[in-house]
Amino acid sequence: MAAGQPFPIQFHGLSEGVAQARLKAEGYNELPRSDKRTPLLIFVEVIREPMLTLLLASGIIYLLLGDMKDAIILLALAMMSILITVVQEARTERVLEALRDLTSPRALVIREGERKRIAGREVVRGDLVVLGEGDRVPADARLLAAHDLQADESLLTGESVPVRKVASDNFNPDQVLSPGGDGLPLVFSGSLVVRGAGIAEAIATGARSEIGKIGQSLSTVETEPPRLQVQTRQIVQWFALVGGVVSILTVLLYGFSRGAWLDALLAGIALGMSMLPEEFPVVLTVFMAMGAWRISRARVLTRRAAAIETLGSATVLCTDKTGTLTENRMSIAELRLKNGKIFRPVHGLGSEIPKDFINLAKFGRLASAPDPVDPMDRAFHLLGRSQVNGPEWKLARAYGLRPGLLAMSQAWQPIEGGKEFIVAAKGAPEAIADICHLSAGDRTILTSTLDAMAAEGLRVLGVARASFAGKALPVSQKDFAFKFLGLVGIADPIRASVPRAVSECLTAGIRVIMITGDYPVTAKAIARQAGLNAQDVILGEDLKKMDAEGLALRVRTATVFARIMPEQKLRIVGALKENGEVVAMTGDGVNDAPSLKAAHIGVAMGGRGTDVAREASSIVLLDDDFGSIVKTVRLGRRIYDNLRKAMGFIIAVHVPIAGLALLPLLFGMPIVFGPMHIAFLEMVIDPACSLVFEAETEEDDVMSRPPRAPDELLFSRSMVGWSLVQGTFAFALVAFIFIAASNRGMPEDEVRALTFFSLVLTIVSLIFVNRTFSASPVTALRRPNTALAWVLLAVILMLALTLFWPLAKSLFRFGPLHADDLALTIGAGILVLVFLEFLKPMWPKGLRS
């Protein structure tokens, strides 16, 4: 029966006046939207990041002190980082807005006895909604009339198999009925009609619907702040305090000891510039923005850039089944004949069907709708389409499912001549056995076969055929003489990329947990195909009986959760977080949204996913590919590794800079560096730590080591200690050159040039030392890094300018350097590299802890 076909009962519906009054009183039939993230709002969010705030503040301070060059450099870097982040996140929001517009449904309603098509948002409580195949249900509604109606409620329940709906005159409005399960007299907003037709009265719209209640519950879920953000905020405060105190003490020391307060102020500024951690915010912001750009090329959008790094530290990945691990489409997985022969098509499409199985495939298709919406009907059509067409037939009559007979039949008549009808039937195996009048022995064999197929997680249908030569087709399908052809096993196939992705997660020490609303047998079958241990399964009914302590204990070992309700997903995520896990949650349905928001990292499917799920998440997979999650984990770990390398380099390089700024003050020697020299050094350091280290490829073991501990500090004692060792050795070597040259009576401008060149080349050596945690220098050199090549070229050119261009030479107050002086500076750089590379493998606890 088509959607437009009249039902025996005539319906009048609401009047336009009543409908408009209810629309005004109760509001539009849509979910409350969070405030749109405009570029201005994103800009405000970005500049509130503590590290970027410090960068802007540092630039403003230097601007107020009159240090225009440094101020311009800092502010330019800040604005560049802000621009990258705002453009990236604004692009993400535009894509999400486009996805949102595609999901706005229209509805066919009856008002004042007339059918009219209106926007889904204008449906009001009491409206009579006409439903047909392919329609998206616009509101929660009770069925007043239904003909063979089935609905896909997977966005609400996570179950991929459509459920059968029935009309009921005895519906109690106070009765609480949830989506899922056959035989309910309700249809729910957001579900898809895949078979049949019906007329339903809207009983809940907008936020009052089941989908709306889930959306509203998101407001009570707190989003977990990125741990890196919390740590960096503390580091910023500490460095700002130390840098400020040391700068003030320097001014006072110099002023009281020498009496030259202007020189004291310049020395204090130089030392403050050498100690202020302006590189930290540059590094953090650029790394996150560049990470978002890199992963976007793999069709992954990041709504919060910091989430990429957090995903790299995930210890548990909770995933939905339908549409995430599986393709969310039904496919023929197995054909079984009555004699026990088995055929398993390859992916259910384009397989060469053996001759013995052609009739089974052919009549399964003839028993399906000619233009299918139902996913199981589509599966039959896709199976060997070119091999089972046969002669041309026209549909003469369709017999739908009935509560007493869960089978459907279709009678076909040849288009050209011939009076004999052929009849194809499919349905529940027990129903097909009944209409085929199978013997007790055959039924026993059928039952054991069913059990074996069900154990594999298959949805099993029986298929039968009959012929009819009469003039008038019988009223009931039971009146045909059906012959049993065999059984068909249907499944939602697992995505091809999933087993490998799961294997990589397990190798990387990330537990993968499947949480689904589907039945345990199906869940276990998919888990086994994905490569998960499917022995430890927890059902929703069992979970209800657990207290918080018991659940926290069970989630330590459980791998599969089946028949789980949306609120239970939230409990599972909460229990994992209580155990100290860093939780990533994937999903696409409305039922996933609360847990997506509650997890440390919410990963939504962008293609099939709902608006609610996308807005609750921090990462969106545009291609719905589970394998993309592993790419993001890999990138997250690479970002964190490279971030630690850059931060370690920053700490190391500031030791000799600050030491050489402070040394002359302590020993009464001429000041070697001023603000100009420090600004030049920053021009080397900033690109090195924000571009060179960001572009470093991942370590060889990036996906074969366990996730870092959730409480691991970015600036661990081991890493800070190693950085101080690097910086102290570089400082000692350059200080020795400075003191020795001064004691030999070398002119002050030549001493300054020699010391400066030695320091720059040792800084270049520190870049190479920090490029890798464990690989040898030779291996590191083989890794491509275009940014490093450009930085090295820029350093050589700038040093040449300061040495040979008279104007630059006078600005830096440099004297001439001879060949032996240059050889000494190069030797200093080589000595730093060789000594630290020799020491690196012996460093206790390694460099990652």
Side-chain angles (χ1 to χ4, degrees):
M1 183 178 292
Q5 197 169 345
F7 284 88
I9 307 172
Q10 294 300 313
F11 297 94
H12 185 268
L14 299 178
S15 67
E16 283 295 339
V18 171
Q20 294 304 317
R22 287 189 181 175
L23 186 64
K24 184 176 181 180
E26 300 178 3
Y28 284 106
N29 176 34
E30 58 188 6
L31 301 184
R33 289 189 180 183
S34 56
D35 294 334
K36 184 179 178 182
R37 295 180 74 226
T38 63
L40 179 61
L41 287 176
I42 296 173
F43 173 79
V44 172
E45 290 178 10
V46 171
I47 63 172
R48 288 173 62 187
E49 290 294 322
M51 299 298 275
L52 195 55
T53 302
L54 177 66
L55 179 60
L56 292 170
S58 300
I60 292 171
I61 289 172
Y62 291 143
L63 186 64
L64 295 175
L65 291 174
D67 192 344
M68 293 295 296
K69 292 181 180 177
D70 288 343
I72 290 172
I73 290 172
L74 291 175
L75 293 175
L77 287 171
M79 296 313 297
M80 181 181 68
S81 299
I82 291 172
L83 182 63
I84 291 172
T85 306
V86 170
V87 168
Q88 176 65 37
E89 296 197 9
R91 174 179 170 272
T92 298
E93 293 304 314
R94 286 197 299 272
V95 174
L96 292 175
E97 191 67 29
L99 290 172
R100 186 181 296 118
D101 292 342
L102 290 175
T103 59
S104 179
R106 294 184 64 79
L108 181 64
V109 298
I110 301 175
R111 288 184 180 172
E112 299 178 346
E114 298 292 331
R115 299 188 179 198
K116 60 184 300 186
R117 185 76 64 178
I118 63 173
R121 66 194 297 263
E122 295 176 4
V123 173
V124 299
R125 181 175 53 83
D127 256 330
L128 298 185
V129 182
V130 181
L131 301 172
E133 289 184 6
D135 288 344
R136 185 73 65 179
V137 179
D140 288 1
R142 70 182 184 95
L143 281 168
L144 304 179
H147 174 78
D148 194 17
L149 185 66
Q150 294 185 31
D152 176 359
E153 297 179 347
S154 59
L155 290 182
L156 290 162
T157 65
E159 297 179 38
S160 56
V161 178
V163 290
R164 184 170 46 86
K165 299 293 181 179
V166 296
S168 175
D169 297 328
N170 302 319
F171 173 70
N172 180 3
D174 297 325
Q175 186 179 4
V176 179
L177 295 176
S178 300
D182 284 325
L184 290 183
L186 297 180
V187 288
F188 297 92
S189 179
S191 59
L192 179 69
V193 177
V194 298
R195 179 187 294 280
I199 294 179
E201 179 187 1
I203 58 174
T205 60
R208 293 170 291 276
S209 64
E210 289 297 315
I211 194 173
K213 291 173 185 175
I214 296 174
Q216 281 189 314
S217 70
L218 292 176
S219 61
T220 63
V221 178
E222 292 294 330
T223 302
E224 189 82 10
R227 300 187 182 209
L228 195 62
Q229 185 185 72
V230 176
Q231 291 184 24
T232 51
R233 185 180 290 116
Q234 297 169 349
I235 294 295
V236 167
Q237 295 168 352
W238 188 84
F239 265 93
L241 178 62
V242 172
V245 170
V246 171
S247 296
I248 293 171
L249 290 177
T250 300
V251 173
L252 295 176
L253 175 64
Y254 194 105
F256 283 116
S257 63
R258 303 192 184 188
W261 288 97
L262 181 58
D263 289 340
L265 182 60
L266 290 175
I269 291 174
L271 186 59
M273 290 173 63
S274 70
M275 295 192 69
L276 279 175
E278 66 268 19
E279 297 93 357
F280 287 166
V282 173
V283 167
L284 188 65
T285 307
V286 169
F287 270 51
M288 295 302 109
M290 289 297 292
W293 173 75
R294 287 183 188 280
I295 201 64
S296 69
R297 294 189 296 176
R299 294 186 56 75
V300 178
L301 295 181
T302 51
R303 304 190 70 234
R304 301 291 185 273
I308 299 175
E309 181 279 325
T310 310
L311 185 57
S313 66
T315 59
V316 175
L317 175 57
C318 297
T319 175
D320 187 26
K321 178 185 72 68
T322 305
T324 306
L325 293 180
T326 65
E327 297 179 3
N328 194 43
R329 65 173 182 85
M330 303 310 290
S331 176
I332 306 296
E334 186 175 297
L335 301 177
R336 289 206 186 200
L337 299 180
K338 185 179 178 181
N339 60 15
K341 284 187 178 181
I342 300 174
F343 169 63
R344 294 186 176 94
V346 179
H347 304 303
L349 177 62
S351 300
E352 185 70 28
I353 301 176
K355 183 178 179 180
D356 292 349
F357 293 87
I358 287 182
N359 264 347
L360 178 56
K362 173 182 177 179
F363 280 89
R365 183 182 177 190
L366 290 173
S368 305
D371 298 308
V373 175
D374 184 293
M376 286 187 286
D377 284 358
R378 287 182 175 180
F380 278 103
H381 276 261
L382 287 172
L383 177 65
R385 177 177 295 173
S386 61
Q387 303 176 51
V388 298
N389 275 337
E392 293 297 321
W393 302 86
K394 63 179 179 181
L395 182 61
R397 181 164 181 171
Y399 300 85
L401 295 172
R402 293 290 183 269
L405 181 61
L406 298 180
M408 60 175 297
S409 302
Q410 295 195 142
W412 298 83
Q413 188 175 22
I415 293 178
E416 297 180 0
K419 297 181 179 180
E420 187 175 62
F421 296 87
I422 63 168
V423 186
K426 67 177 172 63
E430 297 84 357
I432 296 296
D434 285 341
I435 62 175
C436 291
H437 308 293
L438 294 186
S439 66
D442 287 339
R443 288 175 184 266
T444 301
I445 296 173
L446 179 65
T447 301
S448 62
T449 304
L450 281 174
D451 292 341
M453 296 178 72
E456 296 299 319
L458 300 178
R459 171 86 177 236
V460 185
L461 295 178
V463 178
R465 65 166 295 178
S467 58
F468 184 78
K471 294 184 179 179
L473 289 167
V475 175
S476 173
Q477 56 186 316
K478 289 183 178 181
D479 296 329
F480 293 108
F482 281 109
K483 178 183 177 182
F484 184 75
L485 293 178
L487 299 174
V488 178
I490 303 176
D492 184 1
I494 194 168
R495 291 180 180 271
S497 63
V498 166
R500 181 178 177 182
V502 169
S503 177
E504 286 194 63
C505 286
L506 298 178
T507 303
I510 303 171
R511 286 179 59 205
V512 180
I513 296 176
M514 186 172 74
I515 306 174
T516 178
D518 217 331
Y519 292 93
V521 172
T522 305
K524 290 174 70 174
I526 293 296
R528 285 194 297 268
Q529 294 174 40
L532 298 175
N533 181 359
Q535 298 304 313
D536 194 354
V537 180
I538 297 178
L539 300 181
E541 287 297 322
D542 299 330
L543 194 147
K544 283 181 183 178
K545 303 170 186 176
M546 297 180 190
D547 57 15
E549 187 176 336
L551 180 58
L553 185 63
R554 289 291 283 116
V555 296
R556 294 178 189 272
T557 57
T559 305
V560 178
F561 291 81
R563 303 301 289 167
I564 298 297
M565 298 301 293
E567 62 274 11
Q568 292 177 325
K569 291 187 179 185
L570 200 56
R571 283 192 65 197
I572 295 168
V573 170
L576 289 167
K577 290 168 67 176
E578 284 294 319
N579 287 344
E581 306 281 5
V582 178
V583 184
M585 174 75 190
T586 73
D588 56 4
V590 176
N591 59 322
D592 299 320
S595 50
L596 284 172
K597 187 175 180 182
H600 294 102
I601 316 105
V603 183
M605 301 298 166
R608 180 180 177 271
T610 58
D611 296 338
V612 178
R614 288 192 290 261
E615 292 183 5
S617 64
S618 47
I619 293 176
V620 180
L621 308 183
L622 287 181
D623 55 7
D624 291 2
D625 186 358
F626 183 83
S628 297
I629 300 172
V630 178
K631 296 178 186 176
T632 312
V633 170
R634 181 185 295 272
L635 180 65
R637 291 191 174 191
R638 167 184 161 178
I639 286 175
Y640 188 78
D641 281 352
N642 290 345
L643 192 60
R644 284 177 64 90
K645 295 172 187 176
M647 296 299 190
F649 169 77
I650 291 170
I651 295 173
V653 82
H654 273 270
V655 173
I657 294 175
L660 290 169
L662 192 58
L663 183 65
L665 300 177
L666 296 176
F667 294 97
M669 303 173 73
I671 296 177
V672 64
F673 294 153
M676 176 64 68
H677 303 96
I678 305 297
F680 181 95
L681 291 172
E682 297 296 342
M683 292 177 68
V684 177
I685 296 168
D686 285 345
C689 58
S690 60
L691 297 178
V692 173
F693 289 109
E694 192 282 328
E696 280 295 321
T697 55
E698 66 264 15
E699 296 284 317
D700 294 336
D701 65 344
V702 69
M703 290 299 285
S704 60
R705 62 176 188 256
R708 68 179 188 271
D711 57 351
E712 178 183 304
L713 297 176
L714 177 63
F715 294 87
S716 65
R717 291 181 180 179
S718 179
M719 188 269 279
V720 172
W722 173 241
S723 297
L724 293 177
V725 167
Q726 295 179 66
T728 301
F729 181 74
F731 166 65
L733 188 59
V734 177
F736 174 78
I737 294 172
F738 168 62
I739 294 172
S742 299
N743 291 339
R744 285 176 53 194
M746 185 180 286
E748 183 179 323
D749 55 355
E750 291 185 21
V751 171
R752 181 176 292 109
L754 181 65
T755 306
F756 186 81
F757 272 56
S758 299
L759 178 59
V760 170
L761 292 179
T762 57
I763 288 174
V764 171
S765 295
L766 292 178
I767 295 174
F768 282 94
V769 170
N770 287 278
R771 281 189 68 193
T772 177
F773 289 127
S774 55
S776 68
V778 176
T779 303
L781 283 173
R782 290 174 180 171
R783 291 177 176 172
N785 192 325
T786 306
L788 175 60
W790 283 108
V791 167
L792 292 178
L793 179 62
V795 168
I796 294 171
L797 290 176
M798 287 190 290
L799 287 178
L801 284 175
T802 59
L803 190 61
F804 299 113
W805 188 26
L807 178 59
K809 200 172 181 179
S810 63
L811 283 174
F812 281 84
R813 291 177 292 154
F814 284 168
L817 291 181
H818 306 94
D820 57 340
D821 299 324
L822 292 174
L824 179 63
T825 62
I826 295 172
I830 293 174
L831 182 58
V832 167
L833 178 62
V834 172
F835 177 76
L836 292 176
E837 285 294 342
F838 172 76
L839 187 62
K840 184 191 294 184
M842 296 182 286
W843 187 254
K845 294 186 179 180
L847 303 181
R848 294 194 184 91
S849 57

